[in-house]
Amino acid sequence: MIKLLSDLCIGVGLIFWFWGTSSLLTRRSVLFKLHNLSVSDTLGSISIITGLLLLRPREWPLLLLAILSLALWNTMLGYVLAYCSSSSPMRTLNFRRRSDG
């Protein structure tokens, strides 16, 4: 039963990885594509590591650290990409003010 659940988690992770990669072929902006890719890679990687955690419960500290690192850093990177991809007039105005001195 644990093996089946682990295989399911790994399979779902691989689906997320391929789904994120397929979004690179769309006609959206580059930053939107990168944001979509980072979100799907994060979810896919966490799912794969969860599957590995079910297979190797003795390695839980390292795998849990990997999950926390992925959740923290990839989420932060996703927010940065989403912020950069938005074309808010206020953000552009604030950027011009800072660059003018």
Side-chain angles (χ1 to χ4, degrees), residues 77-98:
L77 178 64
Y79 278 119
V80 168
L81 288 174
Y83 179 75
C84 290
S85 67
S86 68
S87 59
S88 169
M90 286 301 293
R91 187 172 64 85
T92 305
L93 184 62
N94 287 337
F95 178 74
R96 286 185 182 158
R97 284 183 188 160
R98 279 188 233 142

Side-chain angles (χ1 to χ4, degrees), residues 12 67 94:
V12 168
I67 288 174
N94 287 337

Side-chain angles (χ1 to χ4, degrees), residues 20-67:
T21 303
S22 68
S23 70
L24 293 176
L25 301 174
T26 61
R27 294 181 180 232
R28 307 288 299 258
S29 72
V30 173
L31 294 175
F32 178 83
K33 291 175 185 178
L34 288 176
H35 171 71
N36 200 15
L37 183 64
S38 69
V39 169
S40 63
D41 276 352
T42 301
L43 293 176
S45 297
I46 287 174
S47 179
I48 289 172
I49 291 174
T50 302
L52 292 175
L53 186 63
L54 292 172
L55 282 179
R56 305 273 182 184
R58 288 186 346 181
E59 306 291 335
W60 72 267
L62 290 176
L63 294 174
L64 188 62
L65 180 65
I67 288 174

